[in-house]
Amino acid sequence: MQHTTPPCDSWLSGWTRLSILALLAVLALPGSALAANDPGDEVITFTKDVERILQENCQVCHQPDAIGPMALTSYEEVRPWAPLIREAVLSQKMPPYQYDTGVGIQELQSDMRLSREEIETLVAWVDAGAPQGDPADAPPPVAWPDAAAWGYVDLYGPPDIIVRSAPFDIPANGQDTWWRPTVDTGITESRCMRAIQTKPVLSGRAMTHHANSVFVMPGDADASDDDDGAASQGGRLSEYALGKLGEIIPEGACRTAPAGSQVRWDIHYYPSGVDVEDHVVEVGIWLYPEDYAGSYRQDLRTYGLQGDIDLAPGGTAMTQGFHSFDHPVRIDSWQPHGHFRMVAGSLEFFYPETGRRELISMVSRWTALWHHSHVYDEDVAPLLPAGAVMVLTQWYDNTANNPINPDPTVWVGRGSRTTDEMSHNWIAVTHLDQEGYERIVAEREAKATPTTD
């Protein structure tokens, strides 16, 4: 099981920063009564109990020159925001990882959610008057890495291959813009990829709505970057949207970086008031050793949802997609995708032979501000038998009740612009055979069986 802390830099747009600041202003108003702990309770203090939680979960964003609208690296910085912190963790708006607890698979890599104990500690500290405590109890400060650094360096070192898009000038104002250059990879030997991270350069990261990439081969000259990369012989390299860290391809699986390939980019920029010259998006590729072949092919592609999302002013909608395979598969990651009117998504399995329906994952407070790919721990990644059905569902809300709806008075339909809506899921799938499927099932059952000495 591998866990990494997502880098946090310029994921949020300027619009989002303003929204957060507006929320802060409201929540910081007088009237947040602070109650003392009950007599006899152990006093919860910043230095002894709270600072560690902030270091492990918040400071990656809330440090000087990072994305957070305020730094939370000292008592003096944190104390004025104590009422807001209480509200944000109770409502689970922060840390910004939208994935439901208590239903479906809960073991995820790079899981940013606070534990119930951590939430209770933060709330109790604020309710007690946010005491500082003894400075001698404070944990040592954290030395944070460069925000422009690659996210998997601690696990695998620097990337083996870095592919850069051709530079592009992002205008300060205007509408959505797409940039689709094709560049050489320099790959001379086909190898299995271990990890992939797409990383827009910091100067334009907040304007980079998405940056998708596919490998194209000689003969793919007319292939376009369609929605699943199937038009290219090389297959999809990566998908990036605001908030996404990257992908780790599990051991035993192989997604190939093909020799002699080029990468075709599909980069979607949205101007945010600042001119950025020569902006570049990079994709870092970490490789498995030369003698590694992997037993099964893995791919990442989109799975569409059908249904009408021509949203009337004040309207709502639901879409669904149904997908099955003629062989067993393992679902390695799941990422719902939509825009400002999408509010929730779910992944279920349906087993036709028994009629049973199983909820795998649910995001009931989805937000376009953070596009997380939910990567399952390898020991629990869901296994779909041949013939069983993935049921994908997404919900949309074009009313004023949707807190990030930019305008509930307009019609919204399907489209690629930020103000349009989309309905698909990005899913990484390892394609098994029956023998491999049964072996994984048996291994998991053996681990779950108590041993006796």
Side-chain angles (χ1 to χ4, degrees):
M1 186 170 65
Q2 296 162 324
H3 294 270
T4 59
T5 300
C8 193
D9 32 55
S10 298
W11 286 346
L12 288 184
S13 66
W15 180 89
T16 306
R17 290 170 185 262
L18 292 175
S19 298
I20 291 175
L21 288 171
L23 177 63
L24 299 182
V26 171
L27 294 174
L29 289 173
S32 298
L34 301 178
N37 280 356
D38 292 335
D41 286 352
E42 183 180 357
V43 176
I44 294 175
T45 70
F46 178 81
T47 53
K48 180 167 59 69
D49 306 290
V50 170
E51 191 167 7
R52 178 196 58 78
I53 298 174
L54 299 181
Q55 287 180 342
E56 294 177 356
N57 301 281
C58 309
Q59 291 183 5
V60 64
C61 294
H62 292 277
Q63 56 178 292
D65 300 322
I67 184 178
M70 83 292 278
L72 300 176
T73 59
S74 69
Y75 179 75
E76 290 73 21
E77 292 172 344
V78 173
R79 179 62 185 85
W81 303 107
L84 170 67
I85 292 171
R86 182 186 192 280
E87 178 68 20
V89 300
L90 271 179
S91 63
Q92 298 182 20
K93 293 177 180 173
M94 290 287 161
Y97 190 86
Q98 290 71 40
Y99 188 93
D100 288 14
T101 59
V103 295
I105 292 175
Q106 294 295 303
E107 296 84 2
L108 305 167
Q109 300 181 37
S110 302
D111 187 350
M112 298 166 63
R113 293 173 295 175
L114 293 176
S115 68
R116 175 51 54 186
E117 181 182 14
E118 290 171 327
I119 294 173
E120 290 175 352
T121 297
L122 290 169
V123 170
W125 173 67
V126 176
D127 287 349
Q132 181 176 14
D134 185 349
D137 292 334
V142 176
W144 292 103
D146 183 353
W150 293 101
Y152 295 125
V153 166
D154 290 345
L155 289 174
Y156 308 125
D160 297 295
I161 300 168
I162 298 175
V163 181
R164 295 180 173 86
S165 69
F168 182 78
D169 294 338
I170 308 173
N173 301 294
Q175 299 299 314
D176 302 74
T177 302
W178 284 263
W179 176 228
R180 297 186 172 105
T182 299
V183 300
D184 292 329
T185 63
I187 299 173
T188 59
E189 178 187 12
S190 296
R191 295 272 295 275
C192 297
M193 298 183 286
R194 168 176 279 175
I196 306 163
Q197 182 189 354
T198 299
K199 183 166 66 67
V201 170
L202 279 174
S203 60
R205 193 168 295 182
M207 301 83 157
T208 310
H209 176 279
H210 78 242
N212 300 336
S213 52
V214 295
F215 288 116
V216 293
M217 306 298 294
D220 281 343
D222 297 329
S224 63
D225 177 27
D226 66 353
D227 63 356
D228 63 6
S232 71
Q233 300 177 59
R236 179 163 295 284
L237 170 56
S238 181
E239 183 272 346
Y240 166 85
L242 284 167
K244 185 173 182 179
L245 170 58
E247 305 165 61
I248 297 176
I249 289 82
E251 290 194 21
C254 180
R255 197 192 312 177
T256 303
S261 59
Q262 294 180 305
V263 163
R264 181 162 298 159
W265 291 92
D266 179 9
I267 304 170
H268 176 183
Y269 289 112
Y270 192 77
S272 64
V274 178
D275 283 311
V276 178
E277 295 183 355
D278 296 331
H279 186 256
V280 169
V281 179
E282 303 172 309
V283 59
I285 302 171
W286 289 260
L287 300 172
Y288 274 108
E290 291 184 19
D291 59 353
Y292 174 91
S295 300
Y296 299 104
R297 177 176 61 88
Q298 195 224 39
D299 58 24
L300 172 72
R301 51 160 290 191
T302 59
Y303 293 83
L305 285 72
Q306 294 76 46
D308 186 1
I309 47 175
D310 287 333
L311 287 158
T316 60
M318 182 188 79
T319 58
Q320 281 196 313
F322 305 90
H323 303 273
S324 62
F325 302 85
D326 62 3
H327 54 277
V329 301
R330 181 184 63 204
I331 307 300
D332 295 324
S333 67
W334 170 66
Q335 177 188 350
H337 184 85
H339 292 166
F340 290 125
R341 277 77 177 185
M342 180 179 158
V343 294
S346 69
L347 166 64
E348 299 173 275
F349 285 176
F350 174 67
Y351 304 93
E353 291 185 356
T354 62
R356 187 167 69 92
R357 196 164 169 172
E358 179 183 13
L359 178 61
I360 303 299
S361 291
M362 179 80 200
V363 179
S364 57
R365 294 181 300 107
W366 193 89
T367 171
L369 305 180
W370 302 91
H371 287 249
H372 294 294
S373 178
H374 306 293
V375 183
Y376 302 105
D377 277 356
E378 289 184 37
D379 288 344
V380 299
L383 299 170
L384 186 71
V389 182
M390 286 195 308
V391 181
L392 312 173
T393 307
Q394 294 185 174
W395 291 266
Y396 298 82
D397 182 353
N398 192 26
T399 73
N401 294 326
N402 177 352
I404 67 167
N405 188 351
D407 189 351
T409 68
V410 299
W411 281 84
V412 178
R414 285 183 185 264
S416 298
R417 300 178 305 168
T418 304
T419 51
D420 299 326
E421 266 309 333
M422 303 186 83
S423 192
H424 61 259
N425 286 187
W426 289 95
I427 299 177
V429 171
T430 295
H431 299 266
L432 306 169
D433 54 22
Q434 191 60 30
E435 180 182 357
Y437 174 84
E438 292 176 356
R439 176 179 53 78
I440 294 174
V441 170
E443 290 173 350
R444 292 182 178 181
E445 289 176 348
K447 287 183 179 179
T449 302
T451 57
T452 55
D453 295 330

